[in-house]
């Protein structure tokens, strides 16, 4: 089932038969994120998580992340 057509500039990623189209303006916000598909009694969801996030409040507005490291220093 297709919901949208890819434009020539879209980034297209996929896994296990699922294709996701990413607008070029959104790519910088998704770099380094992990994504997964979750199915449970309440419904299905595509989840994006940040592996560098260390804390978050219940409202979802305040987040703490690991400091970025320069690869040359490690």
């Amino acid at each position: 089932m297709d919901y949208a057509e890819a434009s020539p500039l879209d980034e297209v990623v996929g896994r296990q038969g699922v294709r996701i189209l990413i607008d070029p303006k959104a790519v910088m916000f998704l770099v380094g994120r992990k994504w997964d598909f979750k199915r449970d009694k309440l419904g299905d969801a595509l989840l994006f998580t940040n592996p560098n996030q260390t804390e978050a409040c219940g409202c979802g507005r305040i987040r703490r992340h690991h400091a970025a490291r320069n690869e040359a220093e490690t």
Side-chain angles (χ1 to χ4, degrees):
M1 176 183 295
D2 290 336
Y3 290 101
E5 293 294 323
S7 80
L9 299 177
D10 285 345
E11 183 78 25
V12 180
V13 295
R15 185 172 73 187
Q16 299 178 353
V18 176
R19 259 182 17 150
I20 297 179
L21 310 177
I22 304 171
D23 185 278
K25 297 175 201 164
V27 169
M28 66 181 222
F29 298 106
L30 296 174
V31 170
R33 307 251 184 215
K34 294 183 179 184
W35 58 282
D36 196 12
F37 182 76
K38 180 182 175 185
R39 176 173 281 161
D40 61 21
K41 295 177 189 176
L42 300 176
D44 303 336
L46 186 60
L47 305 173
F48 291 90
T49 58
N50 183 348
N52 296 317
Q53 182 175 326
T54 58
E55 296 179 46
C57 68
C59 70
R61 297 180 110 192
I62 301 171
R63 296 180 177 91
R64 289 187 177 38
H65 299 84
H66 292 291
R69 290 185 293 180
N70 184 344
E71 293 298 320
E73 295 176 1
T74 57

